[in-house]
């Protein structure tokens, strides 16, 4: 074969990601080492280091300790343990492989879930002397939970049972019995001896009764192409690309289904419809995009689409809801706390999340269900979760890409859990809300924006003042209102406290209620802007996600976020109502700054340090901002 | 249905593009480390793909040590100009002015001053909260444990035992002020993947990757280039050797391999049959067991 053909062949080979599971003595590292070694994937200098290390710290006597090849961290080599998932790469002329090697020990569930999340296939090792043990069941259950479509059961150490066909058959039937309770599409069995190299790369002459192929051959040929979902069109928008006035594209990775120019799509959660105009890549436009291609979509109409939205086929929608049930793997040393808020990341959306119900915990060893009031590290449970924004999702089993999420601790920023959305609908399903109803069409006014602007002689805008309680938002808001009103402008204040006396009187201070409060305030501001008014909103609005949502509702061009900032001590000092004191004594719950978080704006249009800025100066700085942005003349 | 299947290179490309877009969407001030090497060249191409038809939404940052090869500087300036990118050159200029060099300080200390310190300073000066790097997990054992989003504390340090798990394609970019992440979009690429991609995409690379007759010194089984600021040891004499570089670093610390591969095709053929890993020519990696891990903990890429 000439070099050109060889290159062509190598360019076109596909990718298989697999993970290996097995407990410490099942021979997992030996199997990977053997796979790499026998397919000549270990460089000479690595091999000589390995031989040296094996003699020094190895646990295989004089022989090569392949586990040292995989344990990359100093502490791991010294202590002879594996701390973290390690990724190994090798390729044959047919395929490139990524192996996620997941260590056993205490962290097992967490590590295996991590490795399994991207894997097409799992190799479950069984020691032929011990047969199907609890560990085997545990690993297989997690593989099934993460919906790995293919499991290879590697019955290892056959050399220690005299390569007995009976032993193998017994293990096989035991495993099949157990696996009938799991949801795995394809289970394949291979008897082997990793230590001796039997049925790893070469067919073993010692087990002539085995008619199948060795492990490597199986990995090279197992059919994975049909595992991806090409039916449900889902395109989560990751990034909005504005090159200049002439081009606005929506970047993202196709999660499932096939996108084509001319296809009608619905934008979720807004429910608006548009048509794909073109699909762009660096090389030019393409006729089709399918998973996992990363492309840029241009639409026919100027509809409002931003990061976190999802484009879907109009007649094939995911569920849109703020509530769902999920199987969750807990990954943090800190237990699940039902009283706390977490941040959820799902596709390109982030929101606040509350765990409203811990339905049960899985007993991974018996695959039974148990009652519990928390989840600890490495435990798996079924949770009911509510989010501050609607998410567009499918059940994980139907669509891996749109059915998964992670939970993040809002204080430590750590990833604390991985979740897989379950199929059963929850009681409080919001997908039927008018928002995504197909029966509602947006009506268009016959009075144009320009006409209104001309009538009032002013450009509308929303000035959004955010900050801690008592930071001076309302004072500045009413000062600004007076100032602008005296300039003959039509202006008004939407004060958070006042709204809670009326429009939002049925809302409390949970993350979800705050989020709804903000949505209402932003919607009113938007209406007032549509009328041509200048609206000043004074609202604690502690969460970045909510303020982003408000910006989306109002429209980015007319939304000006102003961070009214003062040290908490100053706010406390100004607090004549004794709110801070009451919050500190626990009389008021979820008080921002004391018992609820305040997230500082990432990119405010203006930041006012109210502790050392007089009100008239603060007002002037906002006037300057509005003038600079062309709102005021 | 075979038509709807991506090759491994296309899949790796899509993954890298996804990562880059995610970072740009979630971080305020990203920057891309550009080392002039082949992996950087690939990474920059991927970044251009991610944001086409737009421009690169972040600058390139080259941490210069003053010890790079002349051909690298020449290539760098030409390349950056040709793609219209913004280039920032950073480094520990104080240490350079003080004459820091590997001959007197040893490679570990010199590297710590010129590269690690230079990098940390440049990241701090630019207030970057995310920095893309072209490191790959297959390069070195401790890099095999690296996350795609590699979290750094405000001293730029890496804590390998306390990393965030990364699942599916969901990356957790939450960070506090002063903290930042290193991002490795090429995590899952191997040396061969990079070469195949360069071939497939026709990506320009520094000519030093191709074999030619160069004046070299043979020292401790390494081929050291006899150019730039080097010190000959007793009895050493430069000789002309047909060789090429598998990785590019600072001239005193980067060895070459004997090779006749003067075209891309020949280089790839050589890589496919190579029996030595690519970093064998990087003197800094072999200082002592775990030396790469130690450097990484302190802030090295």
């Amino acid at each position: 074969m000439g070099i050109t053909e060889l290159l062509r062949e190598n360019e076109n080979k596909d990718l298989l990601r697999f993970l290996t599971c097995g407990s410490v003595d099942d021979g997992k590292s030996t199997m990977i080492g053997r796979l790499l070694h026998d397919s000549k994937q270990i460089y000479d200098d690595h091999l000589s280091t390995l031989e040296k290390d094996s003699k020094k710290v190895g646990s295989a006597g004089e022989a090569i300790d392949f586990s040292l090849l995989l344990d990359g961290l100093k502490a791991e080599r010294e202590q002879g343990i594996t701390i973290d998932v390690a990724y190994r790469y090798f390729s044959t002329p047919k395929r490139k492989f990524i192996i996620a090697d997941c260590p056993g020990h205490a962290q097992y569930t967490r590590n295996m879930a991590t490795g399994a999340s991207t894997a097409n296939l799992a190799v479950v090792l069984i020691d032929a002397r011990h047969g199907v043990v609890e560990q085997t069941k545990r690993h297989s259950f997690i593989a099934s939970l993460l919906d790995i479509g293919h499991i290879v059961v590697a019955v290892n150490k056959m050399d220690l049972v005299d390569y007995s066909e009976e032993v193998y058959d017994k293990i096989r039937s035991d495993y099949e019995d157990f696996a009938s309770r799991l949801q795995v599409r394809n289970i394949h069995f291979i008897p082997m001896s990793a230590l001796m190299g039997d049925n790893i790369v070469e067919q073993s002459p010692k087990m002539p009764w085995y008619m199948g192929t060795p492990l490597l051959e199986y990995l090279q040929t197992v059919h994975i192409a049909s595992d991806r979902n090409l039916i449900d069109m889902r395109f989560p928008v990751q990034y909005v690309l504005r090159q200049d006035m002439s081009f606005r594209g929506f970047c993202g990775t196709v999660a499932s289904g096939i996108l084509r120019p001319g296809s009608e799509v619905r934008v979720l959660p807004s429910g608006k419809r548009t048509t794909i105009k073109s699909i762009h890549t660096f090389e030019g436009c393409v006729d089709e995009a399918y998973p996992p291609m990363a492309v840029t979509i241009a639409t026919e109409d100027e509809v409002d689409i931003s990061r976190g939205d999802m484009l879907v086929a109009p007649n094939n929608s995911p569920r849109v809801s703020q509530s769902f049930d999920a199987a969750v793997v807990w990954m943090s040393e800190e237990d699940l706390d039902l009283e706390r808020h977490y941040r959820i990341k799902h596709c390109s959306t982030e929101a606040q999340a509350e765990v409203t119900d811990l339905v049960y915990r899985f007993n991974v060893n018996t695959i039974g269900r148990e009652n519990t009031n928390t989840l600890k590290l490495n435990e798996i449970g079924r949770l009911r979760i509510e989010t501050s924004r609607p998410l567009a999702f499918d059940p994980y089993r139907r669509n891996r890409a749109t059915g998964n999420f992670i939970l993040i601790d809002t204080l430590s920023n750590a990833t604390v859990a991985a979740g897989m959305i379950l199929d059963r609908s929850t009681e409080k399903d919001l997908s039927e809300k008018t928002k995504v109803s197909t029966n509602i069409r947006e009506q268009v006014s016959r009075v144009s924006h320009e006409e209104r602007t001309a009538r009032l002689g002013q450009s509308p805008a929303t000035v959004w003042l955010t900050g801690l309680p008592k930071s001076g938002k309302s004072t500045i808001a009413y000062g600004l209102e007076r100032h602008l009103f005296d300039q003959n402008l039509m202006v008004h204040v939407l004060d958070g406290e006042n709204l809670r006396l009326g429009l939002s009187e049925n809302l409390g201070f949970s993350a979800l209620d705050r989020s709804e409060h903000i949505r209402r305030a932003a919607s009113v501001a938007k209406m007032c802007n549509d009328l041509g008014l200048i609206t000043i909103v004074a609202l604690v609005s502690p969460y970045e996600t909510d303020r982003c949502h408000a910006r989306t509702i109002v429209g980015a061009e007319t939304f000006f976020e102003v961070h009214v900032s003062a040290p908490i001590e100053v706010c406390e000092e100004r607090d004549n109502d004794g709110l801070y004191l009451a919050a500190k004594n626990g009389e008021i719950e979820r008080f921002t700054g004391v018992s609820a978080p305040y997230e500082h704006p990432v990119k405010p249009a203006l930041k006012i340090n109210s502790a050392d800025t007089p009100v008239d100066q603060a007002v002037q700085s906002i006037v300057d901002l509005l003038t600079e942005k062309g709102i005021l003349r | 249905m075979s038509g709807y299947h991506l090759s491994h290179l296309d899949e790796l490309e899509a993954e890298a593009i996804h990562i880059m877009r995610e970072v740009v969407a979630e971080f305020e001030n990203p920057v891309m480390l550009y080392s002039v090497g082949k992996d950087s060249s690939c990474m920059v191409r991927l970044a251009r793909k991610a944001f086409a038809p737009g421009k690169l939404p972040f600058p390139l940052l080259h941490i210069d040590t003053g010890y790079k090869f002349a051909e690298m500087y020449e290539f760098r300036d030409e390349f950056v100009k040709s793609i219209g990118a913004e280039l920032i050159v950073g480094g520990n200029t104080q240490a350079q002015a003080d004459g820091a060099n590997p001959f007197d300080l040893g490679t570990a200390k010199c590297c710590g001053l010129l590269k690690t310190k230079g990098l940390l300073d440049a990241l701090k000066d630019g207030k970057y909260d995310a920095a893309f790097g072209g490191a790959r997990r297959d390069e070195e054992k401790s890099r095999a444990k690296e996350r795609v989003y590699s979290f750094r504390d405000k001293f730029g340090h890496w804590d390998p035992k306390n990393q965030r798990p990364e699942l599916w394609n969901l990356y957790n970019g939450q960070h506090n002020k002063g903290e930042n992440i290193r991002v490795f979009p090429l995590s899952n690429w191997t040396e061969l993947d990079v070469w195949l991609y360069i071939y497939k995409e026709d990506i320009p690379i520094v000519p030093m990757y191709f074999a030619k007759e160069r004046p070299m010194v043979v020292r401790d089984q390494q081929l050291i280039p006899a150019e730039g600021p080097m010190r000959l040891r007793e009895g050493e004499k430069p000789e002309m050797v047909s060789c090429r570089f598998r990785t590019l670093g600072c001239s005193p610390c980067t060895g070459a391999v004997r090779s006749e591969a003067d075209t891309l095709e020949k280089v790839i053929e050589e890589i496919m049959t190579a029996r030595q890993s690519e970093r064998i020519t990087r003197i800094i990696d072999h200082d002592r067991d775990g030396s790469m891990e130690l450097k990484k903990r302190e802030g090295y890429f």
Side-chain angles (χ1 to χ4, degrees), chain A residues 523-536:
Chain A
S523 301
V524 174
K526 166 72 175 155
M527 274 183 232
C528 295
N529 285 173
D530 285 346
L531 283 170
L533 307 182
I534 296 172
T535 303
I536 305 162

Side-chain angles (χ1 to χ4, degrees), chain A residues 18-19 21 112 120-126 136-145 147-154 175 178-179 182-190 215 218-219 222 227:
Chain A
F18 69 96
L19 93 155
C21 11
M112 184 172 162
N120 310 98
L121 178 147
V123 178
V124 176
L125 274 111
I126 293 180
T136 318
K137 295 181 182 173
R138 193 182 172 94
H139 300 156
S140 305
F141 171 71
I142 300 168
S144 157
L145 186 76
D147 197 32
I148 296 181
H150 309 267
I151 287 184
V152 173
V153 181
Y175 189 90
F178 151 79
L182 303 174
Q183 290 177 281
V184 180
R185 290 188 290 281
N186 168 22
I187 300 176
H188 187 84
F189 296 83
I190 303 177
L215 177 64
Y218 184 75
L219 293 175
V222 60
D227 293 348

Side-chain angles (χ1 to χ4, degrees), chain A residues 10 13 42 44-45 74 76-77 89 96 117 238 243 253 283 288 295 307 345 350 413 415, chain B residues 4 8 14 18 21-22 26 49 53 145 166 168 171-172 174 188 193 272 275 277 289 293:
Chain A
N10 267 283
K13 63 190 175 191
I42 304 178
D44 288 349
D45 53 315
K74 212 162 177 292
E76 294 178 324
R77 290 196 296 282
Y89 304 84
K96 164 169 171 150
S117 71
Q238 223 188 338
Q243 193 204 1
T253 301
E283 286 79 14
E288 282 177 327
V295 294
R307 174 175 167 85
K345 184 162 184 185
E350 284 199 25
N413 291 335
T415 303
Chain B
Y4 297 113
H8 79 292
H18 178 86
R21 287 170 170 176
E22 201 63 12
E26 289 200 316
K49 287 196 173 201
K145 303 274 168 165
E166 272 176 353
W168 300 290
Y171 301 99
N172 173 0
Q174 293 297 321
N188 287 323
D193 294 331
M272 289 170 94
R275 296 305 311 145
S277 73
D289 182 36
E293 182 187 335

Side-chain angles (χ1 to χ4, degrees), chain A residues 568-630:
Chain A
I568 194 154
E569 304 78 48
V570 175
C571 299
E572 279 181 55
E573 213 179 284
R574 288 177 184 161
D575 179 15
N576 298 327
D577 305 330
L579 296 177
Y580 275 91
L581 192 65
K584 280 186 171 169
N585 293 336
E587 291 157 31
I588 305 178
E589 283 182 16
R590 293 176 168 179
F591 189 77
T592 302
V594 178
S595 44
Y598 179 80
E599 297 174 357
H600 291 267
V602 179
K603 275 186 201 168
L606 184 67
K607 184 175 172 182
I608 296 172
N609 292 312
S610 67
D612 47 15
T613 312
V615 177
D616 53 346
Q617 210 175 309
V619 167
Q620 190 55 47
S621 62
I622 300 176
V623 170
D624 292 345
L625 169 74
L626 295 177
T627 312
E628 183 197 321
K629 299 290 180 186

Side-chain angles (χ1 to χ4, degrees), chain A residues 3-4 6-8 10-15 17 40 42-46 49 53 56 68-77 79 82-89 91 96 98 110 113-114 117-118 146 224-225 228 230 238-239 241 243 247 251-253 258 260 280-283 288 290-296 307 331 343 345-348 350 396 400 404-406 408 411-415 417-420 602-603, chain B residues 1-15 17-28 45 48-55 57 137-142 144-147 149 151 158 160-176 179 187-193 196-197 199-201 246 264-266 268-269 271-272 274-280 289-290 293-294 297:
Chain A
I3 181 70
T4 325
L6 193 63
L7 286 171
R8 184 90 44 233
N10 267 283
E11 271 180 36
N12 291 329
K13 63 190 175 191
D14 65 2
L15 181 61
R17 301 178 198 240
K40 306 198 169 40
I42 304 178
Y43 289 121
D44 288 349
D45 53 315
H46 288 168
T49 312
D53 288 354
K56 204 162 74 182
L68 294 172
L69 187 67
L70 304 167
D71 293 341
L73 300 174
K74 212 162 177 292
E76 294 178 324
R77 290 196 296 282
Q79 298 166 33
T82 309
I83 291 169
D84 209 345
V85 187
Y87 294 92
R88 286 282 142 187
Y89 304 84
S91 61
K96 164 169 171 150
I98 301 179
R110 164 183 154 146
T114 304
S117 71
T118 50
L146 272 289
I224 50 166
R228 52 193 56 175
L230 294 174
Q238 223 188 338
Y239 179 73
L241 187 80
Q243 193 204 1
F247 185 82
C251 305
T253 301
I258 301 166
R260 295 188 180 90
H280 298 255
T281 69
F282 181 74
E283 286 79 14
E288 282 177 327
Y290 47 90
M293 283 170 70
V295 294
T296 300
R307 174 175 167 85
M331 302 186 141
R343 181 183 286 271
K345 184 162 184 185
H346 167 262
C347 293
S348 51
E350 284 199 25
Y396 184 76
R400 227 172 156 178
N404 65 49
F405 63 89
I406 54 172
I408 299 167
L411 291 175
S412 70
N413 291 335
T415 303
M420 290 134 287
V602 179
K603 275 186 201 168
Chain B
M1 290 302 255
S2 61
Y4 297 113
H5 203 67
L6 295 184
S7 75
H8 79 292
L9 280 182
D10 289 337
E11 199 167 327
L12 291 173
E13 177 190 86
E15 180 182 77
I17 290 176
H18 178 86
I19 292 163
M20 290 178 181
R21 287 170 170 176
E22 201 63 12
V23 170
V24 169
E26 289 200 316
F27 285 79
E28 215 175 320
R45 169 62 60 93
R48 293 173 67 205
K49 287 196 173 201
F51 301 100
K55 285 204 290 234
R137 287 185 184 136
D138 87 318
E139 274 179 84
E140 205 274 339
K141 273 195 281 194
S142 66
K145 303 274 168 165
E146 187 63 276
R147 296 289 187 268
Y149 272 30
F151 190 77
W158 180 56
K161 284 198 232 168
N162 188 21
Q163 301 194 79
R164 295 174 182 172
E166 272 176 353
L167 296 108
W168 300 290
N169 60 357
L170 293 176
Y171 301 99
N172 173 0
Q174 293 297 321
H175 62 288
N176 296 323
E179 298 168 339
S187 282
N188 287 323
W189 296 52
T190 60
E191 185 188 16
L192 180 60
D193 294 331
L196 289 171
Y197 195 69
Y199 176 78
K200 175 170 171 266
E201 299 282 323
R246 260 176 98 176
L264 199 46
E265 286 86 347
K266 286 184 194 164
I268 295 177
E269 200 172 6
I271 300 288
M272 289 170 94
R275 296 305 311 145
Q276 304 283 327
S277 73
E278 68 178 319
R279 292 198 74 93
I280 190 136
D289 182 36
E293 182 187 335
L294 289 175
R297 280 165 174 270

Side-chain angles (χ1 to χ4, degrees), chain A residues 230-370:
Chain A
L230 294 174
I231 298 161
D232 309 312
M233 186 220 282
R234 308 281 185 261
F235 184 77
V237 175
Q238 223 188 338
Y239 179 73
V240 181
L241 187 80
R242 280 188 196 82
Q243 193 204 1
D244 47 49
M245 295 306 281
S246 65
F247 185 82
R248 197 164 65 118
F250 306 102
C251 305
T253 301
V254 183
S256 57
I258 301 166
L259 281 73
R260 295 188 180 90
S263 301
E264 201 190 350
V265 291
R266 207 138 67 86
V267 185
L268 295 178
S270 76
K272 292 197 175 117
R273 283 167 190 253
T274 182
T275 304
I276 297 177
K277 186 177 170 189
S278 44
I279 304 172
H280 298 255
T281 69
F282 181 74
E283 286 79 14
C285 289
V286 293
D287 295 334
E288 282 177 327
Y290 47 90
M293 283 170 70
V295 294
T296 300
I297 304 276
T299 55
E300 290 287 356
D301 317 285
E302 280 269 324
V303 286
D304 183 13
I305 301 175
S306 48
R307 174 175 167 85
D309 289 347
M310 191 186 282
L311 307 186
V312 305
N315 53 0
N316 171 348
S317 275
R319 278 159 56 81
V320 179
S321 174
Q322 287 180 262
S323 173
F324 51 83
D325 276 19
V328 164
V329 181
W330 199 255
M331 302 186 141
S332 167
E333 306 270 350
E334 266 186 57
D335 300 351
L336 162 66
D337 183 349
L338 294 172
E339 297 299 310
R340 274 179 67 179
H341 299 143
Y342 295 94
R343 181 183 286 271
I344 185 169
K345 184 162 184 185
H346 167 262
C347 293
S348 51
T349 308
E350 284 199 25
Q352 297 290 318
E354 275 184 56
V355 178
T356 55
D357 198 5
L358 175 47
V359 188
Y360 52 76
R361 176 175 61 202
F362 288 101
N363 181 321
V364 194
N365 297 321
T366 62
I367 315 187
R369 296 167 182 185
E370 302 169 345

